[in-house]
Amino acid sequence: MGEIAYFCTVMKRAIVVGASSGIGLEVARLLRQKGWTVGVAARRVERLAEFEVAEQIDVNDAEAGQRLVELAERLGGMDLYFHASGIGHQNRELQEDIELQTVETNGLGFARMVGAAYRYMASHGGGHIAVISSIAGTKGLGPAPAYSATKAL
């Protein structure tokens, strides 16, 4: 049995943070189609209505890591953590509030959530962590400097 087939048959509980749109939403749907038990989280919880196990989590909230752990417990565990939460804006004038919000969400929010997922998995026998990044981390986007910097993390 190949590694991917083994991964898909043994691991069956996934949490997707940033599942209200885009890649996060599609990954959550695909995992569910493949028979996974899926928990989803996002700021915009109203967009998560199609999923049975959903939680409003803002990665910028100091309690977000604890909320992830609570979601994992509701799901019965977490074999896969998929982090798709992030923001990006063109900011040609380098408005400070836009740059700081991007750094907070893509940098601190990322560290908060991936750290919480890692600690949970380390204390519960393991698991896998997958994250979405961007080519901007290697190539950079001139009008979005904070986005490019946080995607290089």
Side-chain angles (χ1 to χ4, degrees), residues 16-22 24-25 40-48:
V16 179
V17 172
S20 62
S21 64
L25 176 59
V40 293
R43 281 181 301 113
R44 300 172 295 189
V45 73
E46 67 279 359
R47 294 186 176 192
L48 306 176

Side-chain angles (χ1 to χ4, degrees), residues 1-123:
M1 181 182 318
E3 184 178 332
I4 291 177
Y6 175 79
F7 181 76
C8 289
T9 58
V10 173
M11 309 187 93
K12 287 294 189 179
R13 296 165 300 189
I15 293 179
V16 179
V17 172
S20 62
S21 64
I23 294 172
L25 176 59
E26 289 305 313
V27 166
R29 287 174 174 163
L30 288 170
L31 288 168
R32 185 177 58 193
Q33 276 182 341
K34 296 289 184 185
W36 286 62
T37 300
V38 178
V40 293
R43 281 181 301 113
R44 300 172 295 189
V45 73
E46 67 279 359
R47 294 186 176 192
L48 306 176
E50 70 182 84
F51 296 93
E52 290 183 32
V53 182
E55 183 71 39
Q56 183 174 28
I57 298 178
D58 182 340
V59 300
N60 295 328
D61 184 336
E63 301 299 317
Q66 180 57 39
R67 293 181 68 106
L68 174 63
V69 169
E70 292 166 4
L71 178 58
E73 294 301 324
R74 281 183 36 217
L75 196 63
M78 176 171 53
D79 301 307
L80 171 65
Y81 174 74
F82 191 92
H83 187 87
S85 177
I87 61 170
H89 303 281
Q90 288 195 9
N91 187 17
R92 295 182 191 282
E93 292 78 32
L94 292 178
Q95 295 175 12
E96 183 178 21
D97 60 328
I98 293 172
E99 296 300 286
L100 293 177
Q101 181 186 29
T102 301
V103 169
E104 181 179 15
T105 301
N106 296 355
L108 298 176
F110 170 89
R112 175 179 290 118
M113 300 307 291
V114 170
Y118 173 83
R119 289 185 295 277
Y120 178 88
M121 290 174 179
S123 68

Side-chain angles (χ1 to χ4, degrees), residues 84-87 106 132-138 146-153:
S85 177
I87 61 170
N106 296 355
I132 296 293
S133 189
S134 171
I135 190 90
T138 59
Y147 179 81
S148 299
T150 58
K151 293 302 179 176
L153 294 174

